[in-house]
Amino acid sequence: MTAASQKSTLIDNIGLLVTPGAERTGAAVVIEDGVIAWIGDSRSSVGSAPAADERIDAAGRCVIPGFVDTHSHLMFAGDRAGEFEARMAGQSYSAGGIRSTVTATRAASDSELLTNATRLVAEMRAQGTTTVEIKSGYGLTIGDESRALRLASTLTRETTYLGAHVVPVEFAGDVSGYVDLVTGAMLDACAPHARWIDVFCEDGAFDVDQARAILSAGIARGLGARMHSGQLGESGGVKLAVELGAAAVDHCTFLSDSDVDALASGNTVATLLPGVEFSTRQPYPDARRLLDSGVTVAIATDCNPGSSYTSSMPFCIAVAVRDMGMTPAEALHAATAGAAAALRRDDIGAIEPGKRADLVILDAPTYVHLAYRPGVPLVHRVLSSR
Ligand code: NIG
Ligand code: FE
């Protein structure tokens, strides 16, 4: 990784420069103080590009925007390899597994939690991710949720309060008591460390009325709304997300026609999480149906120890192309510009003058190789404005 700030850098000799809606061969890019300052033709750039302190020779490689991973649960301890093994032997995934990670997370020290999350962020960046969202959701007490967010906010500005991940055992039989906590004292403690609020709206977690109360309380506190829904079955969650103006509704594996219509007419991004279906043997979401209806689609890893323990956006792109009906160009768009929309950010997700200089030089002539060469480390170099 290269820190691109505090100096100017010319990336020359780019074989293929890819940004949403445009591909350009033989390009050059100049970065100044962590921002894209100029894009032009590499052959004339010695004469016409602004002077730069440093020159990087891309040697004909493909350059793409840094990946934006809008959905991760990195604040956890322990792993659930045994649960994965049992699933591969035929057991099905259920939301209940979350509680075993809650027990391990509560028992972990601050430094264990931060070390684990830092390791995963480093894995992500090595695979081309330059922006990551991180959720709480494995603490489920005032102290454990707020510390997860306090620690996460040292790693990213995209922090999400997910006190409503699942009802903890100590509130079994008193869901409404837990919703009161999530919308009251826990929100008070967490809101200062969070940009977003999220809820798992699904059978076994929270229903639509509870999700409405939870997201509305967060919105009233100035947080942006996002939602988990449609992972295990259809629910009214997707329509609620659109109605409340949520930035994104994530999973979207099970959607009715009216859910798709709502997404197409609203301003909520549908975020698909290919690692989940891969790791739970659920059916893949139908990205084609969403794209053909005009819905903005994002792809994210959902990195977590239960349903999707991958940190790799290239892996998710490969699965989206192979099994979800996306073209390589659509998958790249979903992992960059679509994902930026899911975070309501206009400074990332594209290589254009004025955007942050978050970009990836691939060891490949085209981004198509991200799906064509699955599992191969194709990231040559990551430049990040941070
Ligand atoms: O996005 N769906 C809810 N939360 C996670 C799973 C968390 C877990 O199984 O630990 C998800 O898939
Ligand atoms: Fe999730």
Side-chain angles (χ1 to χ4, degrees), residues 68-76 80 87 93-95 98 101 120 123-124 129 131-138 160 162 165 198-200 202 226-232 249-253 271-280 282 285 298-317 335 339:
V68 179
D69 189 348
T70 65
H71 186 141
S72 84
H73 304 250
L74 303 189
M75 304 312 300
F76 68 89
R80 283 154 49 201
R87 264 203 313 275
Y93 175 83
S94 83
I98 293 170
T101 298
L120 292 166
E123 274 185 19
M124 290 172 159
T129 296
T131 302
V132 59
E133 178 264 16
I134 301 178
K135 300 176 199 300
S136 67
Y138 291 118
T160 301
L162 180 59
H165 199 181
D198 194 345
V199 56
F200 187 18
E202 195 87 43
R226 12 191 8 95
M227 186 189 280
H228 285 68
S229 201
Q231 176 183 4
L232 305 173
V249 56
D250 298 13
H251 286 286
C252 292
T253 305
T271 304
L272 308 180
L273 309 168
V276 173
E277 280 72 36
F278 182 91
S279 303
T280 61
Q282 295 259 121
I299 293 173
T301 63
D302 195 6
C303 185
N304 77 80
S307 63
S308 177
Y309 200 6
T310 182
S311 53
S312 174
M313 290 292 280
F315 169 76
C316 292
I317 287 171

